[in-house]
Every structure is written in structure tokens, then in C-alpha cells.
Amino acid sequence: MRLPRPGGSPRAALLALRLAVAAALLGWLFHRIGWGEVRDALATARPGFLAGALAATLAAHLVAAVRLRLLARAQDLPASVPELFALNLAAVFYGLFLPGGNFAGTAVRAWKLARGTRRYAATGVTVLIDRLLATVPLCAVGLLFWIVDEHRTGKAAPVLLLAATAAVAALTAGLVSGRARALAARLPGADRLAGPGRPLGGAAQALALVRALPPRTGASLVALTIAATLLGIVATWWLAVALQLPVPFVTLAWVRSVVMLLAMLPVTISGLGVREGALVALLAPYGVLGPDALALALLVFGVTVAAVGVVGGVVEAARVPRERAPTVDERRGVRG
């Protein structure tokens, strides 16, 4: 099996630039705070809570796989929950080193999901809606926790969370409501792309199937999304408990949302440097010293990203020999 080639020199240059930015940010943080103190803070981490955080993160990916299965079933895509769970872990693995980071990992997940049927439009819509469903509660739940936090500080965090919630919710509603199809019809050359078997036609058909989901399925999607979000918060909380940081659960919940949103910016690899700097800045008003905050950031990356990526890499290595080329019937299947 061959993955899509990441590209030529422009993408290699972009990867090098993002690595340089990550190295610069981390270098500045370690110079300012001191690696020795960070190392001492990491040495105090209690292994039991680290294992619990990893288990909670894997459980969140499993719940997300169940959610993706509901969306895939609506498109008649043949994928089981274990297969989708493996794809979710593989996406984290590829996101660790591909130039696009999380976006590249998501693209690989969509490509691998569509590999058997070649129904790229249906798969792309499924993965896009799944990604949006994951992002909306990340913002909204973070905003809710900020509102109820008696010790909240600053005004930038709620503005970011509110703006992100509104933007992602509007995009999701626009896609699901059918407005996207009307806008796409106005694009130059839309008439050549909207016919049967064409990209826009296939995407419109896939979105129509999402709109036709029964209310019970919609409620299940919302419940699963909230559950995955809360599991992610619990994982971050246990990492803070492992370091015995004096940060309330409610505070850490909205701080996590802000940090994850900032880490999504495609300026470094896997948010390295951005995540660490944001946590140091956001936790300082709560009496968390720089070394402790930086240690927490490194644990967040190491346990919830890198360790999950390693598990995904192992699962992917075991899956690759079993993957087969599509059959003649699959190649003749409905495309769109």
C-alpha cells in the first residue's frame, strides 16, 4: 500500500519552516524557564495518573469511532467501529510527521476510509462533518466552563471560544442545511462539477443523506461528541493531578479548549511550541510556575498525542499487510 505523496519541495520547505518555528518557540521557553526545573517537575509525575490519562484519551478516540460509524452508516460506507478506531489512531500517527499535521492526518483518514469503495465525496463529507462535530463542543464546552469558573481570568479566552463556536457552528449548519449547495452552484464551472458522479454532485448527495438522519441518530451524535470531549478533559485533568498542580477542574477544562484551538493553527508540527507557550501563559494567574506548566504541556503532548500516535503506528503496521487492493466490483461501485 502506498500513501499519497506528501509533495515536492514547496511542502518540504513548509515542513522545515514549521519545524523551525516549533524549535524556536520551544528553545525560547526552555531558555526562559530552564530545562533542569522542567525535568525535576516531570520527575514528580505519578505513573498511575499518566496511565489513566492515556486510557481516557484512547477511550475518547473509541467514542469518536462510534460517532464516525453512525455518519459512515448513513452513507452506506462499509466500516466497523474497530476499523474506524484504528483509522483514528492512524490519523494521529500520520499527523505527527506529515507536513499538514492534524489536517494531513484527517486527510489520510478520509483517503483510507474511501480506499475500498472509491466514494471520495461521500467519505470526504463524512470525515468533514465528523471533524466539525468534534470541534463545536470543544469550543462550546470550553466557553461553558469559563462562564461557570469563579476564578476565571482575562477576556481574550472567552472571545476566542465564542468566535470559534459561532464560526464552526455556522459552517456546520450551512453544510447540513443545504446552503452550501446553493453557494457552490454559483461557482465558475459548477455546472460541469455538479452532475452525477461529479465531485459537487456527490458531495451534495452525501450532505442530503446527513440532513436525512433521524432525530434519534442526531441526538446520539451529540451525546457521543460531548462524551468524547469530557473524556479529553478528564485526561488533561489527570495529567495535572499527576504533577499535583493547584488548578481547579473547571479552570483546566476551558484552558484545554483554548490551548487546543491555538494548537490547531498550522504554524508548527502538532502544535509544538504553541501548546507549551499557551499553557504557561494561561496557568500563570493560578499560581502555576513556569516549569510546572511547561511540564504539563510536555505531558499533554507526550501522553495524548505522541503516545497515541505510537499506538496508531503499531496498529497501522499490523493493518498494512492485511489491506488488499479493491476488487473489480468495488472499482465499479457508485462513485460520489
Side-chain angles (χ1 to χ4, degrees):
M1 182 205 73
R2 292 184 179 180
L3 290 174
R5 296 184 63 183
S9 56
R11 293 190 180 183
L14 178 60
L15 176 60
L17 177 60
R18 295 175 66 191
L19 284 171
V21 173
L25 289 173
L26 290 174
W28 179 80
L29 284 170
F30 282 121
H31 174 74
R32 177 174 175 267
I33 295 174
W35 164 245
E37 296 180 70
V38 177
R39 181 191 57 211
D40 293 341
L42 287 172
T44 66
R46 291 178 282 183
F49 287 102
L50 300 184
L54 178 58
T57 303
L58 292 174
H61 282 286
L62 180 58
V63 171
V66 177
R67 180 186 64 212
L68 185 57
R69 172 58 185 146
L70 291 179
L71 292 170
R73 187 168 58 188
Q75 306 293 338
D76 198 24
L77 294 172
S80 65
V81 170
E83 290 172 336
L84 294 173
F85 179 52
L87 284 179
N88 284 345
L89 299 183
V92 179
F93 168 68
Y94 288 115
L96 287 173
F97 61 87
L98 289 182
N102 293 333
F103 297 102
T106 300
V108 169
R109 182 173 60 160
W111 177 80
K112 291 175 72 65
L113 182 58
R115 182 175 177 271
T117 62
R118 305 295 180 92
R119 297 177 58 203
Y120 297 109
T123 302
V125 167
T126 299
V127 173
L128 174 61
I129 296 298
D130 179 72
R131 185 67 265 168
L132 292 173
L133 285 176
T135 307
V136 170
L138 171 69
C139 309
V141 171
L143 182 61
L144 177 62
F145 275 111
W146 185 89
I147 292 173
V148 301
D149 185 7
E150 297 179 353
H151 307 287
R152 59 182 180 267
T153 60
K155 298 180 179 180
V159 171
L160 173 63
L161 292 171
L162 181 60
T165 301
V168 180
L171 177 58
T172 306
L175 288 172
V176 175
S177 67
R179 296 176 183 175
R181 182 176 183 179
L183 293 174
R186 301 177 183 177
L187 296 174
D191 54 335
R192 298 191 302 272
L193 298 175
R198 301 291 182 176
L200 289 182
Q205 182 181 7
L207 287 171
L209 292 174
V210 174
R211 289 194 296 272
L213 287 173
R216 183 175 180 178
T217 302
S220 297
L221 290 171
V222 173
L224 289 168
T225 299
I226 294 175
T229 302
L230 292 178
L231 282 169
I233 294 173
V234 169
T236 304
W237 165 249
W238 278 344
L239 292 177
V241 172
L243 294 172
Q244 304 180 59
L245 300 186
V247 184
F249 179 87
V250 173
T251 299
L252 198 62
W254 69 259
V255 166
R256 173 184 179 270
S257 293
V258 173
V259 170
M260 288 191 68
L261 282 174
L262 294 176
M264 288 181 185
L265 297 174
V267 295
T268 69
I269 298 296
S270 297
L272 283 171
V274 175
R275 178 189 303 101
E276 289 73 17
L279 271 174
V280 169
L282 289 171
L283 294 181
Y286 297 93
V288 179
L289 300 178
D292 294 328
L294 188 49
L296 174 61
L298 293 177
L299 287 181
V300 168
F301 173 75
V303 174
T304 69
V305 180
V308 173
V310 170
V311 174
V314 173
V315 173
E316 183 72 351
R319 280 169 48 88
V320 168
R322 298 197 303 267
E323 290 185 343
R324 57 174 177 80
T327 65
V328 174
D329 290 338
E330 289 173 334
R331 289 196 296 268
R332 291 177 179 175
V334 178
R335 299 187 182 188

